[in-house]
């Protein structure tokens, strides 16, 4: 190192102006003047609270009015189905008046073909539809993420095997597969959830795999490897957080898909018969659709509105979760 | 002489095609506090060498011969877990592209302190302090504030400083810097090189500098190897090699540089016309039978096409793989 000082001096003194890489006095560094033995100590600023991060996320979410609308609609539906049945107080399976009573009058949304209250049905039915939708999407995400991340990260034979399994599931018609599972294992709410999850995890798996394959080739992963990171750390700390936003968005969209699937199963009479659900109401009244529109319109609209709300919210998530959209540090 | 930090002997790296070697017979050694530069055009096996040292060769590539010794430990055939333990703590790497070398979803400070914690050097809280300290040492302003910042809020130069912190976090003895300044603009390049040297002075780490920027090599390196299609064409003390290149290839590389000012007192004027080396680097899969540089060389004779000249000593400390290697030609044209 010593010889360099003279070399540089010589280079600087060649008279050709400043040498390209000749050291210039660095004022900042000179002021700091940190001797090698006594490193400077900097006080650490307090960690940003989770609240601040949540606020930032919210700030990016709320600028999308449609997503905001979706969130409001979802909150409204959630409140209605959780508190509604209690407040309304009418058993959805109880025959309360004559069949096919028009909306208004004693029954706000009319009665169905046996004289059950449609509003009570819509309010109670939402519980099954929404909870199955939510938990099925959770299940979908869990399977899809595990399969996809393992396949994408390790590649090779494991990847080939897992992708073959995924393709095997993918060629099964979704609804038919769910129907078969529910028929075999019994029509309970949990079975419906599992069946929907098992029938629809493939797209998340493929997405997760693609993200992992893409990200594991990036420099920051290589840099983590060169800093000595083990596979587990790479998967969970380095790659997963970067792969998560699109997967979360896909999983949120899956909620709406699961709501639709649950509706289809119930419509076909394969849902839990002891559990009121939107699909069940529509399925039971389908023959009278032209005479008593309200029997299928209101549960149908409830499905439409929840699916729309979930889609809009997941769209908003997409915007808010993109790390590159984060505003600059100040 | 003390034991070198890194010692490579006759390293051979083979690709998926069995016969051809991407790196063939590379030898070098770096002692503590020294910098060795590996220069050459793209596709000459520089990065392959770096990846081989860290045990990170891409799929299909592996070391087929020779040895790489890190602090005396043979590392070409180590189990993955042992290699992982060495990475970060004994050797680390700086990548070319600072824009992508940092994890976008973690704060920069976290990326530095994580290495310290993972290597069990310090508990989390002290690791944070140490990271802030490192950030201060590499010249990042307001390190305590920037600790919480995300990489996308940083400029290229600042990111490269952070990447340096990550590489330095566990005080490695060997830093492999793969084109650390190529993606940066000129003034930032100078700052980063200066910083690298400052760090080296402070930590006594050995640096393997991979670059095609001869000025950077001249600034930082003590010794220098010129690599061409995986083989060494010239090796020697950096100042001497750059002042009086022996091999026609090294001479060609220098002549194609826009500005030259190398070595104490030995000043080279910028040539009126830059002289590019004609032709292209052959792929390592189709190496010519004779001298690798034969078809692009200005002084080659018929004999060069037949047999490949070995790396031969030239004076006290220099080597060149060319029977016609001579500084006289260079002196005539460039002095």
């Amino acid at each position: 190192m010593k010889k360099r000082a003279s070399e540089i001096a010589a280079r600087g003194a060649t008279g050709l102006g400043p040498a390209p890489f000749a050291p210039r006095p660095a004022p900042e560094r000179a002021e700091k003047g940190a001797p090698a033995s006594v490193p400077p100590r900097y006080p650490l600023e307090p960690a940003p609270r989770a609240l601040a991060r949540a606020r930032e996320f919210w700030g990016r979410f709320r600028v999308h009015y449609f997503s905001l609308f979706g969130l409001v609609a979802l909150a409204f539906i959630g409140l209605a189905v959780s508190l509604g049945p209690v407040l309304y107080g009418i058993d959805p399976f109880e025959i309360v008046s004559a069949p096919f009573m028009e909306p208004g009058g004693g029954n706000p949304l009319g009665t169905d073909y046996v004289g059950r209250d449609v509003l009570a049905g819509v309010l109670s039915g939402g519980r099954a539809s929404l909870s199955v939708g939510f938990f099925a999407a959770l299940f979908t995400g869990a399977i899809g993420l595990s399969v996809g991340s393992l396949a994408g990260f390790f590649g090779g034979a494991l990847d080939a095997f897992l992708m073959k399994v995924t393709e095997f599931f993918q060629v099964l018609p979704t609804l038919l597969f769910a129907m078969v599972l529910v028929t075999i294992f019994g029509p309970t709410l949990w079975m419906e959830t599992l069946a929907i999850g098992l029938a629809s995890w493939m797209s998340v798996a493929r997405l997760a795999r693609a993200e992992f394959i893409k990200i594991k080739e990036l420099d920051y992963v290589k840099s983590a490897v060169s800093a000595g990171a083990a596979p587990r750390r790479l998967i969970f700390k380095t790659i997963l957080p970067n792969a998560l936003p699109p997967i979360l968005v896909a999983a949120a969209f899956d909620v709406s898909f699961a709501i639709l699937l649950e509706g289809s199963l119930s419509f076909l009479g394969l849902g839990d018969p002891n559990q009121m659900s939107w699909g069940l109401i529509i399925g039971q009244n389908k023959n009278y659709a032209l005479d008593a529109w309200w029997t299928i319109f209101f549960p149908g609209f409830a499905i439409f509105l929840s699916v729309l709300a979930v889609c809009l919210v997941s769209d908003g998530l997409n915007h808010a979760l993109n790390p590159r959209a984060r505003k600059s540090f100040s | 002489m003390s034991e070198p930090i890194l010692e490579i002997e006759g390293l051979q790296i083979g690709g998926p095609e069995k016969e051809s070697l991407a790196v063939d017979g590379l030898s070098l050694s770096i002692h503590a506090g020294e910098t060795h530069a590996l220069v050459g055009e793209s596709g000459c096996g520089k990065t392959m060498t770096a990846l081989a040292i860290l045990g990170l060769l891409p799929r299909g590539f592996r070391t087929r011969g020779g040895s790489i010794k890190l602090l005396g430990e043979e590392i070409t055939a180590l189990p993955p877990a042992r290699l992982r333990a060495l990475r970060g703590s004994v050797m680390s790497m700086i990548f070319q592209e600072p824009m992508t070398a940092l994890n976008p979803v973690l704060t920069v400070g976290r990326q530095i302190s994580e290495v310290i914690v993972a290597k069990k050097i310090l508990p989390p809280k002290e690791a944070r302090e140490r990271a802030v300290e490192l950030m201060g040492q590499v010249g990042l302003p307001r390190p305590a504030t920037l600790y919480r910042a995300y990489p996308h809020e940083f400029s290229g130069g600042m990111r490269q400083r952070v990447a340096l912190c990550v590489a330095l976090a566990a005080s490695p003895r060997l830093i492999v810097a793969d084109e650390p300044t190529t993606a940066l603009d000129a003034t930032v390049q100078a700052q980063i090189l200066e910083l690298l040297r400052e760090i080296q002075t402070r930590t006594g780490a050995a640096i393997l500098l991979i670059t095609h920027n001869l000025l950077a090599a001249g600034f930082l390196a003590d010794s220098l190897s010129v690599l061409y299609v995986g083989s060494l064409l010239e090796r020697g003390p950096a100042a001497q090699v750059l002042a009086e290149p022996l091999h026609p290839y090294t001479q060609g590389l220098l002549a194609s540089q826009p500005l030259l000012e190398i070595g104490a007192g030995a000043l080279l004027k910028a040539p009126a016309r830059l002289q590019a080396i004609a032709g292209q680097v052959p792929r390592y899969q189709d190496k010519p039978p004779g001298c690798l540089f034969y078809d692009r060389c200005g002084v080659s004779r018929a004999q060069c096409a037949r047999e490949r000249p070995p790396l031969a000593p030239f004076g006290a400390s220099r080597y060149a793989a060319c029977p016609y290697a001579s500084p006289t030609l260079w002196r005539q044209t460039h002095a």
Side-chain angles (χ1 to χ4, degrees):
Chain A
M1 239 71 24
K2 288 124 268 151
K3 71 174 162 67
R4 278 184 185 138
S6 57
E7 256 179 57
I8 297 146
R11 274 183 238 174
T14 46
L16 236 196
F21 289 118
R24 282 152 283 114
E28 300 163 62
R29 243 166 278 158
E31 277 165 36
K32 234 182 271 155
S37 52
V38 190
R41 288 266 161 204
Y42 299 91
L44 201 59
E45 298 197 346
R49 292 165 302 273
L51 191 71
R53 278 215 211 145
R55 201 177 288 146
E56 193 198 335
F57 173 83
W58 174 240
R60 273 179 288 129
F61 185 89
R62 66 177 181 163
V63 293
H64 301 279
Y65 293 112
F66 285 112
S67 311
L68 215 53
F69 167 77
L71 196 67
V72 171
L74 206 58
F76 171 74
I77 296 168
L79 270 178
V81 304
S82 54
L83 299 178
V86 182
L87 294 176
Y88 191 55
I90 293 178
D91 188 331
F93 286 104
E94 193 189 342
I95 296 168
V96 291
S97 76
F100 301 132
M101 295 294 286
E102 287 200 17
N107 310 98
L109 300 184
T111 58
D112 70 354
Y113 76 113
V114 286
R116 295 178 299 195
D117 190 276
V118 173
L119 179 57
V122 169
L123 290 176
S124 313
R127 291 184 166 186
S129 301
L130 291 188
S131 55
V132 167
F134 179 74
F135 285 107
L138 217 59
F139 193 45
T140 297
I143 308 178
L145 201 55
S146 319
V147 171
S149 54
L150 287 177
F153 184 79
F154 290 106
L158 183 67
D159 179 30
F161 171 72
L162 288 176
M163 281 302 108
K164 282 285 170 287
V165 173
T166 308
E167 276 161 23
F168 169 76
F169 275 92
Q170 210 161 24
V171 293
L172 298 172
T174 312
L175 181 59
L176 209 62
F177 182 44
M179 280 166 64
V180 169
L181 287 176
V182 172
T183 315
I184 295 175
F185 296 105
T188 63
L189 226 47
W190 279 113
M191 201 53 236
E192 268 187 89
T193 309
L194 287 181
I196 293 171
L198 272 178
S200 56
W201 56 271
M202 292 76 71
S203 60
V204 173
R206 293 175 71 99
L207 184 66
R209 172 178 176 266
E211 284 291 315
F212 264 71
I213 287 178
K214 185 184 83 187
I215 293 172
K216 87 174 169 182
E217 293 302 324
L218 294 182
D219 277 358
Y220 60 81
V221 178
K222 288 185 190 152
S223 150
V225 175
S226 72
R232 208 178 58 179
R233 171 176 293 268
L234 288 177
I235 292 178
F236 288 107
K237 286 209 161 160
T238 312
I239 304 183
L240 190 60
N242 283 291
L244 214 47
I247 296 170
L248 268 185
V249 173
F253 272 112
D254 274 343
V255 173
S256 59
F257 184 67
I259 292 174
L260 281 176
L261 255 183
E262 194 279 337
S264 314
L265 285 175
S266 303
F267 175 84
L268 295 168
L270 295 169
D272 190 338
N274 301 316
Q275 186 71 46
M276 188 52 77
S277 89
W278 293 333
L280 184 69
I281 306 175
I282 300 175
Q284 290 181 338
N285 289 289
K286 61 180 182 295
N287 295 336
Y288 320 104
L290 295 178
D291 306 313
W293 58 269
W294 56 89
T295 53
I296 63 158
F297 173 77
F298 293 112
F301 186 73
I303 293 179
F304 164 74
L305 194 63
S306 6
V307 170
L308 178 71
V310 169
C311 285
L312 290 177
V313 169
S314 44
D315 202 33
L317 278 183
N318 189 17
H319 286 293
L321 283 177
N322 185 349
R324 275 159 202 75
R326 282 199 185 125
K327 77 173 188 329
S328 195
F329 195 79
S330 48
Chain B
M1 217 181 215
S2 64
E3 190 187 44
I5 302 266
L6 176 76
E7 188 165 27
I8 300 180
E9 265 302 320
L11 177 69
Q12 294 180 323
I13 301 171
E17 309 87 348
K18 290 274 180 305
E19 307 78 31
S20 44
L21 292 169
V23 171
D24 189 3
L26 175 69
S27 302
L28 58 88
S29 67
I30 315 178
H31 289 264
E34 275 184 9
T35 301
H36 189 93
L38 217 50
V39 301
E41 289 165 279
S42 305
C44 285
K46 295 173 297 184
T47 298
M48 273 305 161
T49 308
L51 293 177
I53 294 168
L54 280 119
L56 296 175
L57 284 174
R59 208 175 275 258
F61 286 85
R62 55 187 201 85
T63 51
R64 297 203 186 277
S67 81
I68 304 175
K69 284 202 178 98
L70 186 67
L71 296 172
E73 185 178 1
E74 176 61 47
I75 58 171
T76 43
L78 278 185
R82 175 73 188 134
L83 259 181
R84 210 148 55 219
L86 290 176
R87 277 184 223 131
S89 49
V90 182
M91 56 183 168
S92 68
M93 187 157 172
I94 304 165
F95 289 84
Q96 173 175 2
E97 190 48 79
M99 301 315 259
T100 57
L102 297 173
N103 189 337
V105 301
L106 293 181
T107 61
V108 295
R110 182 79 192 285
Q111 301 188 40
I112 302 167
S113 58
E114 230 179 14
V115 179
I116 305 175
V117 176
K119 291 289 170 194
K120 299 197 171 60
I121 295 167
L122 289 171
K125 200 157 170 279
E126 279 88 341
R128 277 202 294 277
E129 277 171 30
R130 171 85 184 119
V132 173
E133 195 182 303
L134 271 172
M135 287 172 71
Q137 286 173 1
V138 299
L140 285 166
R142 298 179 296 141
T145 312
L146 288 186
Y147 183 92
R148 309 284 177 208
Y150 286 90
H152 71 270
E153 296 157 12
F154 281 39
S155 67
M158 284 166 88
R159 287 188 207 197
Q160 198 63 300
R161 284 171 199 264
V162 174
L164 249 172
C165 286
V166 176
L168 291 173
S171 321
R173 305 299 312 281
L174 172 71
I175 300 169
V176 179
D178 186 5
E179 309 261 12
T181 59
T182 306
L184 304 170
D185 62 35
T187 51
V188 183
Q189 280 188 20
Q191 291 167 7
I192 294 291
L193 288 174
E194 211 171 281
L195 184 60
L196 270 172
R197 192 159 72 178
E198 203 181 296
I199 285 163
Q200 189 175 43
T201 317
R202 188 165 52 221
T203 63
I207 297 180
L208 178 64
L209 176 72
I210 290 171
T211 183
H212 54 238
N213 183 341
L214 290 168
L215 293 173
F219 175 74
L220 202 59
D222 302 284
S223 50
L224 188 147
S225 292
V226 180
L227 212 54
Y228 188 74
V229 209
S231 293
L232 269 183
L233 292 191
E234 179 161 2
R235 189 176 72 196
Q240 291 181 30
V241 173
L242 295 178
E244 289 188 337
L246 293 173
H247 198 283
Y249 178 57
T250 320
Q251 295 174 353
L253 278 182
L254 276 170
S256 61
Q257 292 275 325
L259 184 71
L260 277 175
E261 191 185 5
I262 300 295
L267 170 69
L268 301 166
K269 282 191 216 76
R273 243 184 102 94
L274 292 181
Q275 296 158 345
I277 306 177
Q280 281 176 345
V281 183
R283 300 185 333 137
Y284 73 86
Q285 290 94 336
D286 15 78
K287 284 181 194 169
C291 176
L292 294 169
F293 192 55
Y294 169 70
D295 53 350
R296 303 175 71 190
C297 184
V299 298
S300 59
R301 324 254 162 101
Q303 176 214 347
C304 297
R306 286 194 298 274
E307 47 190 276
R308 194 172 297 172
L311 197 67
F314 205 95
S317 52
R318 303 186 59 181
Y319 299 83
C322 179
Y324 310 107
S326 145
T328 32
L329 189 71
W330 180 256
R331 283 203 199 104
Q332 282 161 14
T333 48
H334 290 86

